[in-house]
């Protein structure tokens, strides 16, 4: 199994002055293993017959799988990871519910 230890911990956007999107991109750049794990988990669920996948459920499953969790894995990133999964796998678009973005 690949190493899923976090390499970066980011503070809140109020403390850093960065938007959630900026924080997400920084977190994702330092923790590419998180996206790969979410991608594998979504693929497994869909292959098993699921028609809908919740990124929040995947986040919680990922946190449970890792002995110390994933430091910095912010629930604010779920929509951004869902959009990335759909961008990379357009045929999965119907599996994720997306809402219109209100903030950057």
């Amino acid at each position: 199994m690949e190493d899923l230890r976090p390499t970066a911990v980011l503070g809140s956007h109020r403390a850093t002055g960065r938007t959630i999107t900026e924080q997400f991109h920084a977190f994702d750049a330092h923790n590419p293993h998180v996206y790969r794990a979410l991608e594998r988990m979504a693929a497994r669920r869909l292959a098993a017959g699921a028609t809908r996948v919740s990124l929040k459920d995947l986040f919680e499953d990922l946190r449970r799988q890792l002995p110390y969790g994933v430091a910095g894995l912010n629930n604010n990133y779920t929509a951004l990871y869902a959009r990335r999964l759909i961008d990379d796998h357009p045929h999965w678009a119907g599996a994720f519910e997306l809402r219109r973005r209100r903030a950057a």
Side-chain angles (χ1 to χ4, degrees):
M1 183 169 185
E2 67 187 283
D3 185 6
L4 294 178
R5 288 177 292 188
T7 57
V9 177
L10 301 174
S12 76
H13 71 280
R14 288 183 186 98
T16 64
R18 295 186 297 175
T19 66
I20 291 169
T21 300
E22 291 168 335
Q23 290 177 64
F24 167 76
H25 288 299
F27 176 84
D28 187 50
H30 287 97
N31 298 279
H33 56 278
V34 169
Y35 176 76
R36 289 191 308 269
L38 293 170
E39 186 177 41
R40 278 193 312 275
M41 293 163 71
R44 283 187 197 128
R45 287 191 185 186
L46 292 167
T51 57
R52 303 291 287 182
V53 176
S54 164
L55 252 291
K56 289 202 187 253
D57 284 345
L58 295 182
F59 267 40
E60 293 309 316
D61 286 349
L62 184 59
R63 287 177 175 131
R64 281 189 292 269
Q65 289 176 19
L66 303 174
Y68 302 104
V70 178
L73 183 59
N74 187 324
N75 282 343
N76 290 334
Y77 302 158
T78 56
L80 295 163
Y81 274 119
R83 284 177 170 80
R84 182 168 173 206
L85 286 168
I86 291 169
D87 286 346
D88 290 349
H89 304 276
H91 55 286
W92 290 358
F96 298 98
E97 179 181 339
L98 297 177
R99 297 186 181 122
R100 184 179 56 83
R101 290 189 68 195
R102 293 177 287 172

